[in-house]
Amino acid sequence: MHVKGSSVLHNRSFLRLWIARIFSASAFQILSVTIGWQMYDLTGSAFKLGLVGLAQFLPMLLLTLPAGQTADRYDRRSIVYLCQLIESAVVVLLVIGSLQGWLDAIHLLIAAALLGACRTFEGPASAALIPDIVDREQLPKAAAWSASAMQTAMIVGPALGGVLVIWGVSFAYMTTLIALLVSAILIFFVKTVHFVKKLDSINMDTFFSGIRFVFARKIILGTISLDLFAVLLGGATALLPIFAEDILKTGSLGLGLLRSAPAVGAIVVSLILTRYSVEKAIGKTLFASLVIFALATILFGLSRNLWLSLFALFLTGASDVVSVVIRSTLVQVNTPQEMQGRVNAVNSLFIGTSNQLGEFESGTMAGLVGAVPATIIGGIGTLAVAVIWMYGLFPVLRNQNKYAVEEG
């Protein structure tokens, strides 16, 4: 690691974007906890709990490429702003449905799908905003600060969600509404300085250009696909309501603690990375973090003690954020400015696949074999992925030592 000074937070637009991301991501985390808790409370079904993740993923699968095109052709700030206003409208309906008592599993799935569609457009535009407002040499530090914003949200959001559902799901939904509106106001005042608008016509060549770009660069493809399969197999987030309720028997407050524990580990590491950039042995660092993530996942599955479970989840978050920062920096440093939207859309699809589809996989596996075996199997699968990527599919990634990559 190499120490460097950073003035990235002196950039007012980046600071506004950073704070906005904390509010919007916190809102999404609260929504995830609340919708999951309400779904399990209404149905008692692990499978239907997993369907929430699938409902968020399907719009992402269908809309990722159009979202990337949109982010490269229109003002990215306006896209984020509009998406957050639409998300706010969805939350208003969740509040009304909860207060009036007509909200059921179908309505929750529809809301999850609408939120997933909005975030499909918001994600690439928000990620592509960073190179629009900071200089190229500041991107590694900006990526680390952005990761810290997301992890701060993952601490604040789940903890608040776990507490707020005690007071009622409608109160939790209203809290997310306030957070989304604050974020939208901050985004409104962000100013971009580097954005280059694409004016060429839309055709099949430009439509799939982001996918071609990623698949033509083994370092980027290896990194984001590694994250996809590792989290797809090893992520136990969707099962936390089951662990809190049936295994650890801690209730909704314990659920908030369990959801926050990975983010506590992640924010500690991400804040370290804002000071000490990973600039050497990038590949080895990535694989080492993945092994820790897998072993911690297995430990969580075996644990019957709340504090041991929290420690295991702390390790999953601490190790996972290393991958997040490396992946984000690799993508942004090695992507032309005019293609940031399309490439970040593909990156968002990989992330969304690992998170939302991973929740569906976890819920389905838990429904078949139980939450504990599903979690342990997932951790073992993540270890297998690390070995296959390291020695089979992407050995070049293991020896990668710098962010800037010269590839054809």
Side-chain angles (χ1 to χ4, degrees), residues 92 230 296 305 354:
V92 168
N305 177 273
S354 63

Side-chain angles (χ1 to χ4, degrees), residues 21 61 63 83 107 121 230 232 294 311 348 350 358 405-406:
R21 281 184 139 186
L61 180 65
L63 299 174
C83 286
H107 295 125
F121 282 89
L232 176 65
F311 174 70
S348 295
F350 276 78
V405 182
E406 295 182 2

Side-chain angles (χ1 to χ4, degrees), residues 230-377:
V231 179
L232 176 65
L233 294 172
T237 302
L239 304 182
L240 292 184
I242 300 175
F243 275 90
E245 187 76 8
D246 301 333
I247 298 172
L248 298 174
K249 301 186 185 303
T250 60
S252 61
L253 182 58
L255 174 62
L257 292 174
L258 292 173
R259 287 296 298 264
S260 297
V264 173
I267 194 171
V268 170
V269 174
S270 63
L271 288 176
I272 292 174
L273 293 176
T274 64
R275 178 64 177 168
Y276 300 91
S277 297
V278 179
E279 295 180 356
K280 294 183 179 180
I282 292 174
K284 290 183 176 63
T285 301
L286 181 63
F287 283 109
S289 66
L290 184 61
V291 170
I292 294 173
F293 177 86
L295 293 176
T297 299
I298 294 172
L299 177 61
F300 173 74
L302 294 172
S303 172
R304 295 297 179 273
N305 177 273
L306 176 61
W307 294 109
L308 182 58
S309 296
L310 292 174
F311 174 70
L313 291 173
F314 175 92
L315 290 179
T316 65
S319 55
D320 184 55
V321 77
V322 176
S323 171
V324 171
V325 171
I326 290 176
R327 184 182 66 248
S328 299
T329 306
L330 276 170
V331 170
Q332 291 173 350
V333 168
N334 294 285
T335 301
Q337 191 69 21
E338 68 275 8
M339 287 191 63
Q340 286 282 339
R342 280 165 287 179
V343 174
N344 273 292
V346 177
N347 192 27
S348 295
L349 178 60
F350 276 78
I351 295 171
T353 300
S354 63
N355 290 333
Q356 273 74 53
L357 193 57
E359 290 184 8
F360 175 68
E361 179 273 336
S362 297
T364 301
M365 182 67 72
L368 293 174
V369 301
V372 171
T375 302
I376 296 173
I377 291 171

